[in-house]
């Protein structure tokens, strides 16, 4: 008989003949359960470690196996391990999209609360990073590769990521109103002479002035948050999935509804990547 077999026999005997001790040990073991997500590494990876109830572990494994399988069938050709890792995020996000139902026990009234989802990533990037001249950006004080940042920006699953551009303080003269004072319009149009949309040449003097972060979401009426957009492209930003981020004065990173990236600067527009298949 091996030591492991002997060990199992002893455990079984304790459960059988000393159920109180077995229960105490079970409760003690429960206190050692945990689930932890590590900090990000330079590749944008985090390590998840957990000690969980076996039933929970089994359910979790079944759920990620199923999600990984579906991804494979839908044409994701990455490895099973990679698909299982993606499955963890997909499952977590699905949960965040679910409404939280609570019932008032006395009145029977049901309240629905949507957890929503908001990831705040303090990314530090410049146009040199995105042009490939500087391969490193930062998340907080942690370096991350440009490729990883591009992937985050492109991901449709994470559209609610908020990226705060590093603003030029010299350009900051906010006013409280939504209405843009003429001196601000003048400053904005002299900084950028055309519409800020990729490949658009409509002169800035004929453009609307767009609040990059909408005023109702706390975006200031301040040159650092104001950019010229022609009527057509102003509407594209308001009513479709076109999004932009100003990097440095006069430089913009646009994301198309299909996740393509465009860098717009005084010298023109540059598509950052060839088109690629959209993930399922
Ligand atoms: Zn400002
Ligand atoms: Zn335009």
């Amino acid at each position: 008989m091996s030591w492991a077999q002997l060990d199992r026999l002893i455990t079984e005997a304790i459960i059988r003949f000393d159920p109180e001790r077995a229960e105490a040990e079970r409760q003690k073991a429960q206190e050692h359960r945990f689930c932890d997500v590590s900090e990000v590494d330079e590749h944008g990876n985090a390590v998840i470690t957990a000690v969980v109830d076996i039933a929970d572990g089994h359910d979790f494994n079944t759920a990620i196996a199923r999600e990984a399988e579906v991804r494979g069938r839908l044409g994701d050709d990455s490895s099973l391990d990679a698909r299982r890792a993606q499955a963890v995020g997909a499952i977590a996000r699905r949960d965040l999209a679910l409404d939280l139902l609570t019932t008032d026990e006395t009145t029977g009234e049901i309240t629905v609360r949507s957890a929503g989802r908001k990831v705040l990533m303090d990314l530090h990037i410049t146009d040199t990073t995105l042009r490939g001249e500087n391969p490193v950006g930062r998340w907080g004080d942690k370096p991350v590769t440009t490729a990883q940042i591009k992937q985050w920006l492109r991901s449709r699953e994470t559209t609610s990521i908020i990226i705060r551009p590093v603003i030029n303080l010299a350009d900051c003269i906010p006013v409280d109103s939504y209405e843009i004072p003429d001196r601000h319009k003048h400053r904005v149009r002299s900084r950028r002479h055309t519409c800020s949309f990729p490949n658009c040449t409509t002169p800035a003097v004929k453009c609307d002035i767009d609040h990059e972060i909408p005023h109702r979401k706390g975006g200031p009426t301040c040159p650092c948050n104001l950019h010229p957009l022609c009527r057509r492209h102003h509407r594209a930003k308001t009513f479709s999935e076109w999004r932009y981020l100003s990097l440095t004065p006069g430089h913009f990173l646009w994301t198309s509804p299909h996740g393509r990236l465009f860098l717009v600067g005084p010298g023109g527009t540059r598509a950052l990547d060839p088109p690629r298949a959209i993930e399922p």
Side-chain angles (χ1 to χ4, degrees), residues 103-125:
T103 314
D104 187 315
E105 281 173 14
T106 47
T107 62
E109 206 174 65
I110 296 172
T111 313
V112 181
R113 269 188 304 138
S114 187
R117 171 165 193 262
K118 197 174 273 183
V119 177
L120 190 61
M121 303 174 81
D122 240 329
L123 292 176
H124 301 258
I125 44 179

Side-chain angles (χ1 to χ4, degrees), residues 196-256:
S196 311
F197 193 85
N199 292 316
C200 184
T201 54
T202 305
V205 286
K206 291 187 180 171
C207 287
D208 295 342
I209 303 289
D210 178 51
H211 279 77
E212 179 179 349
I213 300 166
H215 193 252
R216 68 191 146 78
K217 289 188 182 168
T221 298
C222 177
C224 68
N225 189 45
L226 299 171
H227 312 285
L229 280 183
C230 71
R231 187 55 55 87
R232 183 168 164 228
H233 293 134
H234 203 178
R235 294 178 68 87
K237 186 204 165 197
T238 310
F239 299 110
S240 77
E241 293 286 307
W242 279 97
R243 292 288 174 270
Y244 74 90
L245 175 71
S246 70
L247 302 167
T248 49
H251 293 83
F252 305 89
L253 175 70
W254 280 86
T255 314
S256 82

Side-chain angles (χ1 to χ4, degrees), residues 145-199:
T145 67
T146 322
Q148 181 59 55
I149 291 173
K150 283 184 188 171
Q151 196 183 329
W152 280 329
L153 291 169
R154 218 186 270 120
S155 165
R156 287 290 105 182
E157 285 180 344
T158 50
T159 43
S160 48
I161 283 180
I162 298 169
I163 299 160
R164 291 185 173 139
V166 176
I167 54 168
N168 182 358
L169 289 177
D171 243 3
C172 260
I173 30 170
V175 295
D176 288 333
S177 67
Y178 170 76
E179 281 70 40
I180 302 163
D182 283 344
R183 63 195 158 91
H184 280 21
K185 288 184 181 170
H186 179 75
R187 196 179 179 111
V188 169
R189 288 178 172 133
S190 57
R191 189 177 60 200
R192 170 93 197 156
H193 302 294
T194 61
C195 168
S196 311
F197 193 85
N199 292 316

Side-chain angles (χ1 to χ4, degrees), residues 90-105:
I91 290 166
R93 278 188 286 279
R94 215 170 290 149
D95 183 73
L96 287 178
L98 291 179
D99 292 332
L100 205 61
L101 293 176
T102 44
T103 314
D104 187 315
E105 281 173 14

